[in-house]
Amino acid sequence: MPALATDRHDLHAHSSASDGTDTPAGMLAAAAAAGLATVALTDHDTTDGWAEAAAARPAGLTVLPGAELSCWTPGEAGQRISLHLLAYLFDPTDAPLATACRRLRESRWDRGQRMVAGLVRAGYPISWEQVASLAADGSVGRPHVARALVAAGVVPDVAAAFTPEFLADGGRFYTTKEELPVLTALALVRAAGGAAVVAHPLAHRRGPVVPRAALVELARHGLTGLEVDHVDHDEETRARARALAAELGLLATGGSDYHGSAKTVRLGAATTPGAVVERLVADARGAAAWTG
Ligand code: AMP
Ligand code: ZN
Ligand code: FE
Ligand code: FE
């Protein structure tokens, strides 16, 4: 693979196949324009953006096809803690994994309708048709509902909808969605030949932190890495996550979690060293990186 000597490798980005605002082709064009050597396409619970991305890949940009799976793990008090598992280079036709992703997307669809129904009952002038059209058959999520609220003038921007008053975890109109037990998700990804990395593992702004014991268990069951460099980790948290990855023998990756205009973070805002990308690619056999 070319250009791995640089640190221009962003291993976490979304497109309009889930809750990003750039099309898959547009996201890759933006990645090339940002000077990235590698970008990973990691839409929530879907590989539906892969075909368009593969066809539109700018020459010279390496793309790692992937997904970000919605998972949960038991917390210290036995409660469900949500976590996201980044999966790379798995076989997209693997039936058990594809079926699990389809179920997650179907659950997102029901849950989106329930959140919208709650908002409509409370008098906010949005509709399910509008949200469904923003999601365009993709993996529907809170950002789509938030965009409808922005369009209706209820909130000034998407971030302003992620408050307790609206859609923040546990917020007034928040509704849970189906999630995979993370060990199940990891086993599915590995069986489909992919490599798996826990996304933003210590991001407390997102709610309760993933217990250390869960990460130890995942490391024992074939996890490849922890996402250390992420906008939701401050410097001190990155240092802790990096130390934890080293202790557990895991790769330390980084990615921007780009969502187009749905979030303020830019492509390349966090990156992964080339040598780490090489090791990640070497740990997967379900699909090849798109390169050349
Ligand atoms: P969902 O997957 O539907 O539960 O929604 C979670 C998604 O909402 C995340 O993947 C982010 O894209 C987005 N999100 C979470 N918090 C914020 C925020 N404060 N501002 C903008 N987007 C957010
Ligand atoms: Zn998202
Ligand atoms: Fe995430
Ligand atoms: Fe993400």
Side-chain angles (χ1 to χ4, degrees):
M1 300 203 359
L4 285 182
T6 72
D7 281 356
R8 294 177 294 125
H9 314 287
D10 183 340
L11 297 193
H12 190 163
H14 297 267
S15 78
S16 56
S18 65
D19 56 8
T21 56
D22 292 0
T23 60
M27 191 279 279
L28 297 196
L36 290 175
T38 307
V39 72
L41 175 66
T42 54
D43 277 308
H44 298 286
D45 307 321
T46 188
T47 60
D48 284 353
W50 286 26
E52 177 184 322
R57 182 176 62 85
L61 178 71
T62 294
V63 175
L64 303 192
E68 182 175 17
L69 304 178
S70 303
C71 302
W72 69 276
T73 192
E76 323 244 277
Q79 80 279 34
R80 275 187 180 214
I81 294 184
S82 293
L83 88 170
H84 290 171
L85 192 68
L86 291 163
Y88 300 100
L89 301 169
F90 53 87
D91 175 0
T93 69
D94 177 82
L97 181 56
T99 301
C101 285
R102 179 159 32 78
R103 282 192 44 200
L104 293 176
R105 291 197 302 279
E106 283 166 2
S107 147
R108 284 175 167 277
W109 211 251
D110 293 342
R111 173 254 206 167
Q113 282 175 291
R114 280 184 278 129
M115 285 192 292
V116 169
L119 284 156
V120 168
R121 267 197 305 277
Y124 294 106
I126 64 168
S127 70
W128 172 245
E129 288 66 33
Q130 181 191 8
V131 172
S133 131
L134 286 167
D137 282 337
S139 199
V140 68
R142 283 179 278 170
H144 298 108
V145 179
R147 282 160 62 193
L149 290 169
V150 173
V154 176
V155 289
D157 53 35
V158 166
F162 282 85
T163 57
E165 224 186 312
F166 292 104
L167 300 174
D169 285 6
R172 182 167 172 212
F173 299 102
Y174 172 73
T175 305
T176 55
K177 62 181 185 294
E178 197 173 307
E179 298 171 325
L180 291 169
V182 69
L183 282 167
T184 304
L186 176 61
L188 286 167
V189 171
R190 289 313 250 166
V197 171
V198 177
H200 41 72
L202 304 184
H204 47 79
R205 198 165 64 67
R206 293 172 179 255
V209 174
V210 178
R212 177 196 156 82
L215 299 174
V216 172
E217 185 80 353
L218 288 165
R220 270 201 219 110
H221 286 84
L223 186 72
T224 301
L226 297 182
E227 187 182 46
V228 168
D229 288 303
H230 184 281
V231 65
D232 288 353
H233 287 168
D234 60 22
E235 283 308 319
E236 181 269 337
T237 305
R238 290 180 195 207
R240 274 193 298 127
R242 205 178 304 284
L244 189 56
E247 180 197 330
L248 299 179
L250 299 171
L251 299 180
T253 71
S256 64
D257 209 352
Y258 177 72
H259 278 73
S261 61
K263 274 190 175 178
T264 53
V265 72
R266 304 328 312 166
L267 277 163
T271 56
T272 302
V276 174
V277 178
E278 263 173 13
R279 291 173 62 190
L280 182 83
V281 170
D283 203 32
R285 48 170 180 76
W290 307 335
T291 195

